[in-house]
Amino acid sequence: MRGAALIAALALMGCGRDPFADAQRAIDDGSARAAIQKQLDGYRQCAGLLNGFLPLDMPVDKGAAPPPGVAALVELGLIRPAGMGYAPTALARPQLKLRDIGADKKPVELCYGRRVVTGLKMKPRDAGDTVPQLLYRFRIVDAPAWARDPRITRSFAGMNEALAREHVARDLVMYRDGKWAIGESGIESYLHDIALDRQYFAPCPPVEGKKVHGCR
């Protein structure tokens, strides 16, 4: 009896706890979902714009119509011709994610929504695993009107898929220090499972013979 009482006391003190059991309880009681959503609330879903850098050095051919993807972005007021290339408009700027890497060109992305967690589950435990991990599913919500415009969905084939279906995140989500968290140092975006992030907001290439590119 004494041994059982000691074990119970140690368990209450947090000694000898099973992190996998604790992690599963956090999934079951909803606290895991709440913690992940809280992290995602400060994150926007974005994809590279045109060449992916500012300035947008995409050649402007004065004697020809721009590629469909470029034309759609121009018609919707997101970019405008500027010099020998294009520039984001005032309408687009609040929806841009720009990183300063200390160079003349700065990586730029156009954002089109945010993630809402729709479900999660613990990853199967392999022999030797000491840190619980989970997979979460999400949908993209709060898409601006331009993201659903037919000119965009025709020009960027991944947009319909990105906005219409549920996705499985490839973020690294671990249970450490008694809580679930994405990544080791914040959001890590492994978004290759979304077609738009593979494609980016890039202009359609010209038609080659009878082969039509997927973004048309």
Side-chain angles (χ1 to χ4, degrees):
M1 292 296 293
R2 252 187 194 176
L6 179 59
I7 291 173
L10 290 174
L12 289 172
M13 294 171 62
C15 299
R17 296 184 69 100
D18 178 2
F20 286 84
D22 290 345
Q24 185 62 55
R25 276 191 288 273
I27 293 174
D28 295 339
D29 67 19
S31 58
R33 182 170 182 164
I36 294 167
Q37 187 62 60
K38 185 176 180 179
Q39 285 186 274
L40 292 174
D41 285 343
Y43 176 80
R44 295 185 294 169
Q45 194 74 38
C46 313
L49 177 61
L50 296 188
N51 65 335
F53 291 89
L54 279 183
L56 301 172
D57 294 332
M58 299 292 297
V60 177
D61 187 345
K62 300 296 185 182
V70 174
L73 295 169
V74 171
E75 290 171 12
L76 289 164
L78 296 166
I79 61 173
R80 59 178 177 80
M84 298 302 293
Y86 293 88
T89 64
L91 176 64
R93 288 206 172 270
Q95 300 170 80
L96 296 182
K97 182 162 67 176
L98 186 65
R99 288 189 294 123
D100 192 341
I101 57 174
D104 292 338
K105 290 183 177 293
K106 297 176 175 59
V108 62
E109 295 181 307
L110 182 60
C111 301
Y112 56 93
R114 64 181 183 86
R115 296 187 190 188
V116 168
V117 177
T118 53
L120 39 78
K121 65 177 181 179
M122 184 99 72
K123 278 189 175 182
R125 183 176 182 179
D126 293 329
D129 282 353
T130 58
V131 178
Q133 297 185 38
L134 64 70
L135 294 170
Y136 73 88
R137 304 187 306 278
F138 66 93
R139 288 188 178 275
I140 298 172
V141 301
D142 296 341
W146 60 260
R148 299 185 183 277
D149 189 282
R151 288 166 288 185
I152 290 292
T153 55
R154 283 196 303 265
S155 297
F156 305 104
M159 182 59 83
N160 280 327
E161 179 186 354
L163 298 181
R165 75 175 182 87
E166 187 180 58
H167 306 280
V168 177
R170 296 190 180 182
D171 297 330
L172 178 64
V173 187
M174 298 179 293
Y175 186 79
R176 285 183 169 171
D177 300 323
K179 61 183 179 181
W180 282 108
I182 300 176
E184 297 187 53
S185 56
I187 300 292
E188 295 181 17
S189 48
Y190 303 118
L191 304 178
H192 309 296
D193 51 330
I194 299 179
L196 189 61
D197 291 279
R198 294 195 299 269
Q199 180 179 310
Y200 304 98
F201 289 103
C204 286
V207 176
E208 300 176 3
K210 293 184 178 180
K211 183 180 180 183
V212 178
H213 192 270
C215 69
R216 290 187 182 275

